[in-house]
Structure formats: structure tokens, C-alpha cells
Amino acid sequence: MANDKKTRPLLNAKSYEFQIMTEIQRAKIILKHLNKTYPKIKVPLRSRNVFTLLISVLLSAQCTDVNVNNVTKNIYPKYYRPHHFLKLGRKKIEKLIKKIGIFRIKAKSIYNLCRILEEKYNGKVPKTFEELEQLPGVGHKTASVVMSQGFGHPAFPIDTHIHRLAQRWGLTNGKNVIQTEKDLKRLFPKKYWNKLHLQIIYYGREYCKARDCYGMTCKICTSCYPNRKKPIITKKP
Ligand code: SF4
């Protein structure tokens, strides 16, 4: 964690008045609490190799992980390589994923993506952000998930949960997801990123949901903001 020797003490020993914490101090408390709450963390999207992980992440846009898993559990036992999907063709891919939102657009992306993987990468998923982000239907967030969960490369994919929680915990001003990613990468050491982004997502789903919160119900906020008086307003991505 970044050097925080110069930060103010959390508690004034004489007056016992809490001081305003720095971002670094809050980040330390949050990390400790999340490690305690989720010592082990499971990747929520099921896959059988990096390629199927890429497909699942692509399918998860505007769709829940549970829904994606329910659909892919009937696909991946049989189709799990780019050439399998190419052989199927767009129409059949549409049929297989029709229970998922915007399935026509996603089927088109999957088909075109498989074609590129076969033609340019010998059927393999490329291992760099630049190459991944050039694939159809793959943005920076999807590329970050694949780099992190597929290749174990340090990355910090920012979804709506992470964007919301980082604001509520005072780790970013929430200007946009690019800024949130920069701020979180600055505050947490690289070695924690891959686990931490999942821990924050799980915490957001379980405790810190999208509805308004006064920020006084969980240990994280009561520890980081003991004097909080106003409800927290967060900006959407
Ligand atoms: S107190 Fe509210 S804002 Fe803070 S972590 Fe809990 S649910 Fe989230």
C-alpha cells in the first residue's frame, strides 16, 4: 500500500475526536474488512477455458451472471472453441443465446469474434489489452475481466457495483469509470486487484445495493465515516 506515514492519526488521543481519514486509511480498512468477509472468492461466471470465459463476459453485458450461467451450461459442454461457433453460424448462435438480452447483437459479435480468433490468432484468445479490445463486442471492462480471471494478469474491471461502492467509500469522486479505475489502482497494491474487484462486486450485491443508503449500517462505513450525517449520493457510470 502507498506510503501513509504522513497521514493524520485516526483518533486524537486527547480529545477522542475522530479525524477525517485519508483515502489510504479508508482503503486499508476496506481491504481488511473484505478479506474477512470473503476470504475465498469464486469467479461468478462459469467457463471451461479462456475462450468460454470471454464469451460469458461478453454475454453478461446488461444481463445477470446467473442468467448467463443458466444459458451457457447447455452450450459449453458441446461448443467451447471458436471453430465450434463458426461452424454453427450466426442464426444458430442466436437460437442458443436467445434467453439473454440483446441476443442478436451478441450473436453477431460472437460470430465475428470467432472468425478473427481463428484467422488471426490460430483459435487462441490474445493475451494483451490492446488485442482484446479490438475484438467485436469487447470493451475495456470485458478485456480486464479476461486478463484478470483468464490470464491472472493484474487488472481492475469496473462494473456498476464497483463504481457505486468506490464513491460511497470515498475512494473516488465518481466522475466516470475510467477515473474510478485509476483511483482504485492508485489506492490498492497490484497484488490485491484480481481478488479485490470480485470482493467488491460480491459486497455490492449482498450488502451495498443500489438503493439509497445513509452510510451508517455497515462496519465499513461506520469505521471510515463515524460522523457521517448526510445520505450518500452516487453518480452513475
Ligand atoms: S453503510 Fe451503506 S454505503 Fe456503507 S457499505 Fe453499508 S450499504 Fe454500503
Side-chain angles (χ1 to χ4, degrees):
M1 195 156 290
N3 183 4
D4 64 339
K5 277 185 186 154
K6 287 180 194 154
T7 55
R8 283 181 283 169
L10 304 189
L11 196 62
N12 178 322
K14 273 190 180 169
S15 64
Y16 283 89
E17 272 178 14
F18 282 99
Q19 305 289 306
I20 295 171
M21 282 185 206
T22 64
E23 288 170 323
I24 297 285
Q25 286 167 324
R26 284 196 294 274
K28 275 189 172 178
I29 289 175
I30 290 160
L31 189 61
K32 201 172 158 198
H33 189 76
L34 290 175
N35 277 334
K36 212 170 151 195
T37 312
Y38 305 110
K40 285 197 179 133
I41 203 93
K42 226 172 98 185
V43 171
L45 284 171
R46 286 199 212 109
S47 60
R48 60 181 283 181
N49 52 26
V50 181
F51 168 70
T52 50
L53 173 69
L54 171 62
I55 298 301
S56 287
V57 184
L58 190 152
L59 290 174
S60 72
Q62 297 171 48
C63 182
T64 65
D65 292 346
V66 175
N67 194 10
V68 172
N69 287 339
N70 279 338
V71 168
T72 57
K73 74 174 183 225
N74 301 316
I75 302 176
Y76 295 158
K78 211 165 161 195
Y79 310 107
Y80 53 92
R81 302 252 182 243
H83 66 87
H84 296 154
F85 285 83
L86 275 183
K87 224 173 178 183
L88 277 173
R90 255 177 70 182
K91 285 287 157 203
K92 281 191 182 153
I93 299 172
E94 277 183 12
K95 227 173 157 186
L96 286 174
I97 64 165
K98 67 172 190 285
K99 286 189 182 152
I100 285 178
I102 51 171
F103 68 95
R104 284 198 184 87
I105 296 172
K106 289 175 180 172
K108 187 178 171 193
S109 296
I110 291 171
Y111 183 78
N112 289 332
L113 176 151
C114 289
R115 198 167 38 79
I116 295 171
L117 292 184
E118 279 299 326
E119 287 170 5
K120 206 169 160 189
Y121 300 105
N122 202 20
K124 301 266 187 312
V125 177
K127 288 186 178 177
T128 69
F129 281 98
E130 295 73 23
E131 289 168 314
L132 281 167
E133 286 176 31
Q134 275 173 21
L135 296 172
V138 179
H140 182 62
K141 195 203 125 198
T142 300
S144 298
V145 176
V146 172
M147 289 300 281
S148 164
Q149 295 170 11
F151 295 124
H153 179 94
F156 218 128
I158 306 295
D159 74 347
T160 52
H161 297 291
I162 300 184
H163 188 62
R164 181 177 71 253
L165 271 60
Q167 291 176 68
R168 288 179 168 182
W169 294 342
L171 305 178
T172 184
N173 64 13
K175 200 168 135 202
N176 52 48
V177 286
I178 299 165
Q179 187 60 46
T180 301
E181 182 178 341
K182 266 192 202 156
D183 288 334
L184 295 181
K185 283 181 167 175
R186 175 176 51 83
L187 289 169
F188 295 100
K190 246 184 198 175
K191 62 176 177 184
Y192 298 123
W193 294 355
N194 289 356
K195 188 174 175 190
L196 185 58
H197 90 265
L198 285 172
Q199 290 171 315
I200 302 176
I201 291 171
Y202 273 88
Y203 196 87
R205 286 177 183 170
E206 202 173 343
Y207 302 104
C208 192
K209 301 186 180 180
R211 62 171 184 267
D212 288 346
C213 180
Y214 273 68
M216 296 306 287
T217 49
C218 307
K219 202 163 173 205
I220 289 182
C221 282
T222 50
S223 307
C224 293
Y225 294 99
N227 300 322
R228 191 176 247 165
K229 297 273 187 307
K230 289 183 193 158
I232 324 160
I233 295 160
T234 50
K235 294 173 205 160
K236 293 205 168 134

